[in-house]
Amino acid sequence: MPEPFEEALRQRLEAVRAQGLWRALRPVAGRSGAVLETGDDRLVSFAGNDYLGFSQHPAVLEAAARAVHDWGAGSAASRLISGSLGVHHQLEATLAEFLRTEAALGFATGHAAATGVIPALVGPGDAVIVDRLVHACCVDAARLSGAKLRVFRHNDLEDLDRILRWASGLPRDDAGGPRVLVVTEGVFSMDGDCAPLAGLVELKERHGAWLMLDEAHSTGVLGPEGRGLAAALGLGERIEVRMGTLGKALGASGGFIAGSRALVDLLVNRARSFIFSTAPVPAAAAAATAALELMITRDGEEARQRLRSVSADGARVVTRAFPEPSGAAVSEGSFGHILPVHVGYEAAATALADRLRAAGVWVPAIRYPTVARGSARLRLTFSAAHTEADLHSLEQALNRASIQTPPTPF
């Protein structure tokens, strides 16, 4: 006889606890700047992705409120039924202009963007080759596509070249396949380092593959006017698929795909996460549009400069607490707005995060399955919204947490 449902769940939850992987939702009652109110506590957060502080910018808030008044709280239908509102089209036109692409398409989430585009581009008989550290949504999407999934060592061009040579030997079909899609990130979300984009572009062109670049953590932060890593290196026109999020530096919510007009037209017809989803709420689209418009203004440039300064100061604070290079390292070529502190064991990372929270600072413990087993870490993210007082609170919390030795190096 099958075991009772609740008993089966209880046993699985006990296994999660035993592995040091227990997670629980922590309600946030209010937010001001980088300070979160959680019950009776006020915690300085180094856990969010609001890199430019735009989620609380007056122009972004005003645009969201105006959209609610003009369009309502929801979109009422999917885009292909009756939910393709003017506010969505304005966002997509602004995105395409900002990224210098022919077109763009918005999705309800970044995860939906990935799971929409990859299965629309490739399928059984094709190949998807992903960097080992790409976001889980890209791995999920590759599996959904039915294509052969291969993983190359993180930022290792030689390993990618080897797999691309393997892919070139896949059986041909009547449609001219197989199609080969390489997937990487501009700035990697858990390590803060950048992809070797010039080398990736050269390799995919040499082997006749396509490249999808996820700029979730580089849009708004890197490149001229925050246009991302591809723009910083002048490679935008040589990348087939540009993916990003509206919920990080842009301070709103949602995801997008940008590229050629043909790419967007294909997604409108083939991306299931677009076709079968109610359209994103109008307020989010309007807020993202306002944030994009801010990017090219003095406010945008000042926010990026502030982020650079805060990230550099924050790295110095953390490095004083973890003096070994293996403890906390800022990746070359990045703003340092994502700073991992490698711990190793899951339980140790959780205990360290708990001590910091007790000292008034919220820094998440990142554990399996977000990162590999045994590679747990603290992940600090910095924002233009952080003040000198916030960084002082971080330093005090690190001291009060009685951290005397650096975490276990990898």
Side-chain angles (χ1 to χ4, degrees):
M1 291 289 293
E3 56 188 327
F5 180 70
E6 292 296 327
E7 177 62 19
L9 299 185
R10 186 186 63 79
Q11 291 179 6
R12 294 174 67 179
L13 289 172
E14 286 179 353
V16 170
R17 286 186 185 275
Q19 296 169 38
L21 301 176
W22 179 262
R23 290 167 168 82
L25 299 176
R26 300 182 182 276
V28 174
R31 179 163 68 107
S32 176
V35 176
L36 305 180
E37 297 178 9
T38 61
D40 296 330
D41 297 323
R42 297 180 78 253
L43 303 175
V44 181
S45 174
F46 292 89
N49 299 320
D50 186 15
Y51 299 127
L52 301 180
F54 279 1
S55 72
Q56 300 176 74
H57 193 286
V60 175
L61 298 177
E62 181 183 352
R66 188 167 57 248
V68 171
H69 180 270
D70 293 345
W71 296 100
S75 297
S78 68
R79 295 281 299 275
L80 287 171
I81 300 299
S82 62
S84 197
L85 309 180
V87 68
H88 299 128
H89 290 270
Q90 182 181 1
L91 168 62
E92 290 160 353
T94 305
L95 272 168
E97 181 179 2
F98 179 73
L99 295 172
R100 305 291 193 262
T101 59
E102 289 183 357
L105 189 67
F107 288 77
T109 65
H111 196 289
T115 55
V117 66
I118 292 179
L121 291 175
V122 295
D126 300 326
V128 181
I129 307 172
V130 304
D131 186 289
R132 186 175 68 87
L133 298 187
V134 296
H135 194 274
C137 67
C138 295
V139 178
D140 293 345
R143 290 171 173 161
L144 282 171
S145 74
K148 295 177 176 63
L149 173 61
R150 295 292 184 272
V151 179
F152 66 96
R153 291 188 294 269
H154 177 52
N155 282 347
D156 189 328
L157 296 177
E158 289 187 3
D159 196 39
L160 175 59
D161 183 50
R162 175 186 64 82
I163 298 173
L164 283 167
R165 283 187 274 110
W166 162 82
S168 68
L170 291 173
R172 298 286 170 180
D173 60 28
D174 294 339
R179 293 167 287 270
V180 178
L181 178 66
V182 178
V183 182
T184 192
E185 298 186 14
V187 171
F188 285 86
S189 59
M190 293 299 127
D191 290 77
D193 57 339
C194 295
L197 193 57
L200 289 165
V201 168
E202 193 278 330
L203 270 181
K204 67 94 178 176
E205 290 179 348
R206 184 194 311 167
H207 290 280
W210 300 334
L211 178 61
M212 173 174 156
L213 177 66
D214 179 3
E215 297 236 48
H217 293 273
S218 47
T219 300
V221 176
L222 299 183
E225 298 179 320
R227 299 179 197 275
L229 181 63
L233 300 177
L235 295 170
E237 294 183 357
R238 297 169 65 184
I239 298 170
E240 285 80 8
V241 184
R242 308 268 292 278
M243 174 178 156
T245 178
L246 309 172
K248 294 180 172 59
L250 294 178
S253 68
F256 67 84
I257 299 294
S260 68
R261 181 76 256 172
L263 170 64
V264 169
D265 287 345
L266 178 69
L267 295 180
V268 169
N269 285 276
R270 295 289 302 277
R272 293 174 65 84
S273 59
F274 175 85
I275 296 170
F276 299 109
S277 290
T278 296
V281 298
T289 302
L292 286 165
E293 292 168 349
L294 280 172
M295 288 291 176
I296 61 175
T297 68
R298 181 181 295 274
D299 278 5
E301 184 55 35
E302 289 179 351
R304 284 185 290 277
Q305 290 177 2
R306 173 67 183 161
L307 177 60
R308 291 188 187 95
S309 176
V310 168
S311 299
D313 290 345
R316 284 190 285 271
V317 167
V318 176
T319 302
R320 283 196 291 270
F322 304 109
E324 294 295 323
S326 57
V330 179
S331 303
E332 287 187 29
S334 80
F335 271 34
H337 57 295
I338 299 171
L339 182 60
V341 176
H342 301 301
V343 177
Y345 296 112
E346 283 76 11
T350 302
L352 187 52
D354 287 344
R355 293 204 301 272
L356 288 173
R357 189 158 48 248
V361 166
W362 191 327
V363 178
I366 305 298
R367 298 158 290 156
Y368 177 85
T370 307
V371 294
R373 289 186 184 276
S375 64
R377 65 200 65 184
L378 298 186
R379 175 184 180 264
L380 295 98
T381 51
F382 298 107
S383 168
H386 281 123
T387 65
E388 290 183 15
D390 295 333
L391 294 177
H392 181 63
S393 295
L394 174 63
E395 187 160 29
Q396 287 186 316
L398 290 170
N399 293 333
R400 285 201 297 269
S402 300
I403 303 167
Q404 299 174 352
T405 57
T408 305
F410 279 12

